[in-house]
Amino acid sequence: AQKVTQAQTEISVVEKEDVTLDCVYETRDTTYYLFWYKQPPSGELVFLIRRNSFDEQNEISGRYSWNFQKSTSSFNFTITASQVVDSAVYFCALKRGSNYKLTFGKGTLLTVNP
Amino acid sequence: EAQVTQNPRYLITVTGKKLTVTCSQNMNHEYMSWYRQDPGLGLRQIYYSMNVEVTDKGDVPEGYKVSRKEKRNFPLILESPSPNQTSLYFCASSIWGGIDYNEQFFGPGTRLTVL
């Protein structure tokens, strides 16, 4: 079975602080895909990043960065110099290479206060 | 504009009254899927479809039906809704590249209340 754990239910920070959202996954597959999605208060789901299991290179996109470590089965997401507009629920998700299902974590509610 | 549309966006209904939530995408995507989102549970997959006439169960299929007669449409059917199906529903689609899986594009969501 596959599983995604986002242990942080809620995080509250002050604007300009750095914040890391944790994601730990479980799968027996050697080929799999990891995703992060953002759900702002308006409710839509916005794709942020996809990472394949065979590509452990970390990625930076502006203030966002992702740290993929297969050794610890983690795919953590860091926001540098957080802003109020970053306030949202963030979901980590896993798709095994051997089937078509996408499993989401329960999400982390990030609140950035001015 | 490339998008996934859902209708209705909001629906209040009563127990046992059959309903259909429509989902349509204009990106010629092979893969489509339905999720429900509940507080504290995240998103859970209901059904998915790899192509026309090919569907399969996700993690929480009980009480739901789907069909995929056309590539662009993937309606979700609740034959006899119950209050525990009150939830926020999302439809999603993506290109199915075989070994290379792409991100899913989500619709705006349908908030369903079953009284």
Side-chain angles (χ1 to χ4, degrees):
Chain A
Q2 60 192 47
K3 185 178 178 182
V4 176
T5 301
Q6 294 180 256
Q8 304 149 310
T9 305
E10 295 186 35
I11 300 176
S12 182
V13 299
V14 177
E15 206 169 18
K16 297 185 183 178
E17 284 186 24
D18 297 348
V19 57
T20 295
L21 309 181
D22 297 333
C23 174
V24 175
Y25 61 92
E26 294 177 29
T27 179
R28 294 179 182 174
D29 282 23
T30 54
T31 299
Y32 51 89
Y33 305 85
L34 295 161
F35 303 81
W36 277 96
Y37 281 87
K38 174 182 179 180
Q39 186 176 43
S42 51
E44 73 272 23
L45 284 156
V46 179
F47 166 78
L48 295 177
I49 190 172
R50 177 193 70 165
R51 178 60 75 221
N52 304 328
S53 57
F54 39 87
D55 180 6
E56 281 195 79
Q57 191 172 3
N58 292 326
E59 183 156 339
I60 298 174
S61 176
R63 296 183 297 106
Y64 295 172
S65 62
W66 290 269
N67 184 341
F68 177 30
Q69 294 204 350
K70 290 177 75 170
S71 60
T72 56
S73 296
S74 65
F75 186 43
N76 296 337
F77 173 31
T78 297
I79 302 174
T80 303
S82 60
Q83 300 176 1
V84 173
V85 293
D86 295 326
S87 296
V89 179
Y90 291 87
F91 291 100
C92 181
L94 165 70
K95 180 201 165 302
R96 292 166 59 189
S98 58
N99 68 27
Y100 307 96
K101 294 183 181 180
L102 186 63
T103 299
F104 282 82
K106 295 182 179 181
T108 297
L109 172 61
L110 173 65
T111 302
V112 181
N113 298 298
Chain B
E1 180 189 355
Q3 60 183 352
V4 179
T5 57
Q6 296 179 226
N7 283 292
R9 295 288 313 280
Y10 303 91
L11 178 61
I12 300 175
T13 189
V14 295
T15 298
K17 186 176 181 181
K18 181 179 178 180
L19 67 92
T20 298
V21 183
T22 65
C23 173
S24 183
Q25 50 92 5
N26 61 1
M27 296 169 279
N28 201 36
H29 285 168
E30 294 86 3
Y31 183 95
M32 297 186 75
S33 184
W34 276 103
Y35 299 86
R36 60 178 289 174
Q37 182 179 6
D38 302 290
L41 297 177
L43 281 91
R44 294 178 292 168
Q45 195 167 35
I46 304 171
Y47 270 95
Y48 58 91
S49 169
M50 288 76 75
N51 215 322
V52 175
E53 302 292 0
V54 183
T55 63
D56 205 352
K57 297 177 182 178
D59 294 317
V60 289
E62 292 76 22
Y64 304 95
K65 286 176 58 177
V66 294
S67 69
R68 189 88 182 274
K69 294 184 171 59
E70 304 166 282
K71 196 172 186 179
R72 64 182 293 132
N73 296 323
F74 190 44
L76 180 69
I77 304 158
L78 284 73
E79 295 270 3
S80 182
S82 61
N84 64 14
Q85 293 179 297
T86 293
S87 187
L88 178 59
Y89 290 87
F90 286 98
C91 180
S93 74
S94 70
I95 295 171
W96 181 249
I99 192 169
D100 189 23
Y101 180 81
N102 294 280
E103 72 273 14
Q104 294 189 29
F105 294 86
F106 284 82
T110 294
R111 187 165 294 280
L112 172 66
T113 302
V114 183
L115 302 175

